Amino acid sequence: MGAKSILISGAGIGGPTLAFWLKAAGFEPTLVEHAPRFREGGYIVDFWGLGYEIAEQMDLIGEINRVGYHMQELRLVDHQGRRTSGFGARAFRELTDGRFVTLVRSDLSRLLFERLEGQTEVLFGDTITALLEDADGVRVQFKQAAERRFDLVIGADGLHSNVRRLIFGRQDQFEKYLGYVVAAVEAPGYRPRDENVYLMYGAPGRMLGRFALHDDRTLFLFVFTSDANPAELPAGIAEQIAVLRTRFHRSEWECQSILDVAAHAPEVYFDRVSQIELDRWSRGRVALVGDAAFCVSLLGGQGSALAMTAAYVLAGELASARGDHREAFVRYEEVLRPYIRMKQEAARRFASSFAPRTRWGLFLRDRVVNACAIPGLATLAFGREMTDKLILPNYRWSRPAM
């Protein structure tokens, strides 16, 4: 076998999935994660398609369904909380053949990570500061740990990838900002509470969603348009809440009470909605997976499933090429690029439906959502975006998965 030791930067979704399948193929993966410990909270993800299929192969679907949520209704409401449109569980089943679950992203990440415990080295609280490649490998310098040598390095470190910056350059060369900002806040004990219902309130250029979580917690999702320089978003929680108050304080429904609760949150997810477009996903002995390589955008959906798909394919191609990274990296892109391109195009069409900029746009969005309650029309309206055209390659792993 060629490459054997592989450093993976990022312990979110793509990183642990890649480590799992690399280990199953006989490689020696190591994970490095800049956070000091495993992360909790974050936004929710709708999980279906190829990610669901890969999770089945990892024997995780039972646990995913246990910790996840089985959505019964998407409900759009007006300023008084009255239902204006929506659809029920039948539409979800129609679009996904019943293979659909909603869960907190960190819960999915934790379940993936638990499949590695005791099997894979993990460096928490550290980050890569330099990658020095030669003919035989990559010398990796860390902020905390001593310098080490690996055969390959993979960046699975998200939209703001450090590995991508070190190898390809500044993010602004590859980032396509879609004109939206998103924030997610979790709070305990909020009322009212609607189990397994995703509520959305919309006004021109902004949307606020509410979803009841386990253990009497509630997740709030803010989406709003912004033409400002996305690089100038505030980093501190107080400043982030101030931005949300500025954009949502005139809104009605439950906006004011949600903002009051959000002001006491210990953590806020706050980021711009962007895509990453690269001419290639590898250079030398370094490659990228998931959002680091091809971020579809948070509002496009399936980001977690796409990260898992890319990790599965990359590990499979490295196994098929017996560690020859040059052959494996080429095949990895040949398999995935057309599929990812289609998903990015769909995400650009879909993103604007979250926060239409005009009342006419809101009206049209609500009519489309209402139509999904009619049998067959959900597939007509969203089938192209939700259908996975890619068939997962059947790789011959060198030994059974852990």
Side-chain angles (χ1 to χ4, degrees):
M1 180 178 283
K4 186 71 174 177
S5 62
I6 302 177
L7 177 67
I8 304 166
S9 176
I13 303 296
T17 305
L18 179 60
F20 175 92
W21 290 109
L22 287 174
K23 192 76 174 179
F27 295 93
E28 297 175 2
T30 296
L31 279 166
V32 59
E33 166 60 48
H34 72 86
R37 59 188 177 278
F38 188 80
R39 296 179 177 182
E40 300 290 343
Y43 50 88
I44 57 173
V45 298
D46 294 326
F47 194 64
W48 78 92
L50 295 181
Y52 198 101
E53 182 178 337
I54 292 168
E56 285 181 320
Q57 294 189 38
M58 297 173 73
D59 293 326
L60 281 175
I61 282 300
E63 282 296 294
I64 286 174
N65 278 292
R66 182 184 65 79
V67 304
Y69 306 84
H70 295 87
M71 190 105 62
Q72 296 302 305
E73 183 186 0
L74 171 68
R75 184 189 305 164
L76 280 66
V77 299
D78 64 12
H79 65 283
Q80 292 183 327
R82 296 172 301 196
R83 185 184 187 279
T84 60
S85 65
F87 53 80
R90 184 205 54 76
F92 293 109
R93 291 193 296 269
E94 177 184 321
L95 289 165
T96 63
D97 293 324
R99 295 158 59 83
F100 180 99
V101 61
T102 298
L103 71 166
V104 178
R105 185 182 183 277
S106 62
D107 285 341
L108 175 60
S109 179
R110 175 179 53 80
L111 292 174
L112 291 166
F113 188 78
E114 287 174 354
R115 301 291 277 121
L116 308 175
E117 284 189 308
Q119 304 287 335
T120 301
E121 180 186 15
V122 183
L123 307 174
F124 276 111
D126 210 345
T127 189
I128 299 169
T129 58
L131 297 168
L132 308 170
E133 182 178 342
D134 56 36
D136 300 317
V138 185
R139 287 166 45 211
V140 181
Q141 295 176 357
F142 299 93
K143 186 175 183 179
Q144 303 293 340
E147 180 179 303
R148 292 173 60 176
R149 189 178 190 84
F150 295 88
D151 293 321
L152 302 175
V153 175
I154 309 297
D157 44 355
L159 171 64
H160 307 292
S161 169
N162 177 52
V163 171
R164 185 183 63 232
R165 178 184 59 81
L166 290 171
I167 297 301
F168 290 94
R170 299 188 324 272
Q171 178 165 323
D172 59 10
Q173 301 175 78
F174 317 110
E175 180 178 1
K176 182 174 183 177
Y177 174 55
L178 299 186
Y180 296 88
V181 174
V182 63
V185 182
E186 186 180 306
Y190 183 84
R191 295 296 183 274
R193 182 176 174 85
D194 299 86
E195 302 287 346
N196 292 318
V197 176
Y198 194 97
L199 286 96
M200 293 173 55
Y201 166 73
R206 56 193 185 274
M207 184 280 290
L208 177 54
R210 167 164 67 78
F211 188 78
L213 302 177
H214 300 312
D215 303 320
D216 200 24
R217 297 170 297 138
T218 300
L219 180 74
F220 307 105
L221 183 71
F222 301 81
V223 180
F224 59 92
T225 57
S226 176
D227 296 323
N229 183 346
E232 297 176 355
L233 292 177
I237 292 179
E239 292 80 7
Q240 292 167 350
I241 296 298
V243 170
L244 295 179
R245 285 195 181 278
T246 298
R247 293 306 305 265
F248 288 86
H249 78 284
R250 293 181 181 176
S251 302
E252 299 186 56
W253 187 49
E254 301 169 16
C255 294
Q256 191 57 56
S257 58
I258 290 173
L259 286 167
D260 291 343
V261 167
H264 301 287
E267 186 175 359
V268 177
Y269 173 87
F270 196 98
D271 207 351
R272 54 193 182 262
V273 177
S274 296
Q275 294 184 336
I276 294 295
E277 297 181 349
L278 286 165
D279 292 336
R280 54 187 303 184
W281 300 337
S282 67
R283 180 169 292 173
R285 291 177 173 269
V286 181
L288 304 171
V289 297
D291 284 355
F294 52 73
C295 182
V296 169
S297 88
L298 185 147
L299 297 185
Q302 277 195 295
S304 295
L306 293 176
M308 292 177 67
T309 302
Y312 177 90
V313 171
L314 179 56
E317 293 300 334
L318 282 166
S320 298
R322 298 189 60 79
D324 183 339
H325 65 281
R326 289 175 289 270
E327 177 185 340
F329 289 171
V330 169
R331 281 288 303 147
Y332 162 60
E333 295 203 31
E334 287 177 348
V335 170
L336 282 180
R337 266 199 179 275
Y339 172 68
I340 295 300
R341 188 179 302 115
M342 179 191 71
K343 289 295 183 181
Q344 287 189 321
E345 291 170 355
R348 288 193 288 271
R349 292 192 299 269
F350 189 65
S352 62
S353 66
F354 276 84
R357 291 174 179 264
T358 65
R359 294 198 178 279
W360 175 243
L362 286 166
F363 175 81
L364 291 178
R365 190 269 313 271
D366 288 359
R367 301 290 77 71
V368 171
V369 170
N370 260 343
C372 290
I374 302 172
L377 286 186
T379 298
L380 183 64
F382 298 111
R384 182 172 59 168
E385 277 75 10
M386 295 192 68
T387 301
D388 282 330
K389 302 295 185 182
L390 179 70
I391 298 175
L392 282 180
N394 184 19
Y395 296 112
R396 296 180 179 272
W397 307 101
S398 63
R399 65 173 182 265
M402 296 176 289

